[in-house]
Amino acid sequence: MERTAMTPGTIDRMLMALIATTLAASVVIAVVDPTYFHRVFAAEDHLVENATALFLLIAGLVLARNALSLRKRGQWRAMALTGLYAAMFVFAAGEEISWGQRIFGWQSGAFFTQNNYQGETNLHNLMIGDLRLAQAVFGGPLTVAILLYLVVFPLLYPRVRFIRALADRLAAPVPGMRHAGFAVLGSVIIGLLDVPRKWEVYELVFALMATSTFLLPQNPDKTRQP
């Protein structure tokens, strides 16, 4: 029997289902056993964090594949920009798991031991005086930027010519309305949960939506080979 490859649409539906499952499971676990939620489910080196790193990496690989497809079309600027975006997501995946430090058991150098909040080899937990970089840059400001990207960008892209032209020039994958809906729903659900480490789930939902967006954006003709 001939085997057929899954289409981007099929994979996208699977990702949407996984987002819905993640949010539902988070609510159930947080209500039924909040201790299990923060000590196991959303704890470091457990399911949620490892899944976040995995899907950030997958998102980066999807972008890398998109960059190669743009190269075949001779769209060099779009290829270079997409390659940069891919590198950023691969970097984020490495940061999420401290570049495998806890997995492989190697020790941080003197700089990170002295300046990192957790004594690990990553940038997002660096301390600048008494200020944690994660709070100053990777906390509120990044969350606002992500929500603007997921919720506002999909609405403006088809309606505002300047936004559409800028996004296409930057080869920026534009989320769809399904992403905007899940971003709002996820923000409400996570915001209402009263458990430690709930924002780890938020990061996983973003990683899943990023993978979906890069796979099947509003503007595929500008960001990858259709």
Side-chain angles (χ1 to χ4, degrees):
M1 181 180 295
E2 184 178 352
R3 298 177 64 182
T4 58
M6 286 192 295
T7 65
T10 300
I11 299 173
D12 181 72
R13 288 190 289 273
M14 293 171 63
L15 289 168
M16 294 296 101
L18 188 53
I19 292 171
T21 301
T22 298
L23 290 172
S26 298
V27 171
V28 172
I29 295 171
V31 171
V32 173
D33 193 344
T35 300
Y36 180 87
F37 184 99
H38 71 85
R39 289 188 178 178
V40 179
F41 181 65
E44 285 192 357
D45 300 326
H46 284 73
L47 179 62
V48 170
E49 185 176 65
N50 290 335
T52 300
L54 174 63
F55 280 100
L56 287 172
L57 177 60
I58 292 173
L61 294 177
V62 171
L63 285 168
R65 187 201 65 173
N66 292 349
L68 290 175
S69 73
L70 291 166
R71 177 178 177 272
K72 293 178 181 178
R73 294 167 56 185
Q75 297 186 5
W76 303 105
R77 184 184 68 247
M79 180 205 73
L81 288 167
T82 304
L84 175 63
Y85 305 150
M88 291 170 61
F89 271 82
V90 172
F91 178 82
E95 281 281 297
E96 184 69 17
I97 56 172
S98 298
W99 301 99
Q101 179 174 356
R102 295 187 301 274
I103 297 173
F104 301 107
W106 49 272
Q107 299 299 312
S108 297
F111 174 80
F112 287 102
T113 300
Q114 297 171 10
N115 296 285
N116 187 280
Y117 178 73
Q118 295 181 330
E120 296 176 344
T121 307
N122 59 55
L123 298 181
H124 66 278
N125 282 326
L126 284 180
M127 298 289 294
I128 303 174
D130 294 328
L131 181 66
R132 291 176 58 185
L133 190 62
Q135 294 175 337
V137 178
F138 299 107
L142 183 59
T143 300
V144 171
I146 289 172
L147 287 176
L148 288 173
Y149 173 72
L150 290 171
V151 178
V152 179
F153 197 23
L155 293 170
L156 295 183
Y157 178 80
R159 296 173 174 83
V160 180
R161 182 178 299 178
F162 168 75
I163 297 294
R164 183 167 61 252
L166 181 62
D168 291 344
R169 185 169 180 78
L170 294 176
V174 181
M177 293 309 300
R178 64 195 185 282
H179 303 114
F182 267 119
V184 172
L185 178 64
S187 298
V188 171
I189 290 174
I190 301 302
L192 290 175
L193 294 181
D194 186 21
V195 286
R197 298 188 64 83
K198 64 182 182 179
W199 299 111
E200 298 294 330
V201 175
Y202 205 50
E203 293 178 8
L204 173 55
V205 169
F206 165 70
L208 289 164
M209 283 197 282
T211 304
S212 169
T213 298
F214 304 154
L215 183 70
L216 205 62
Q218 278 198 54
N219 54 342
D221 57 318
K222 304 296 183 181
T223 56
R224 61 175 174 80
Q225 183 174 345

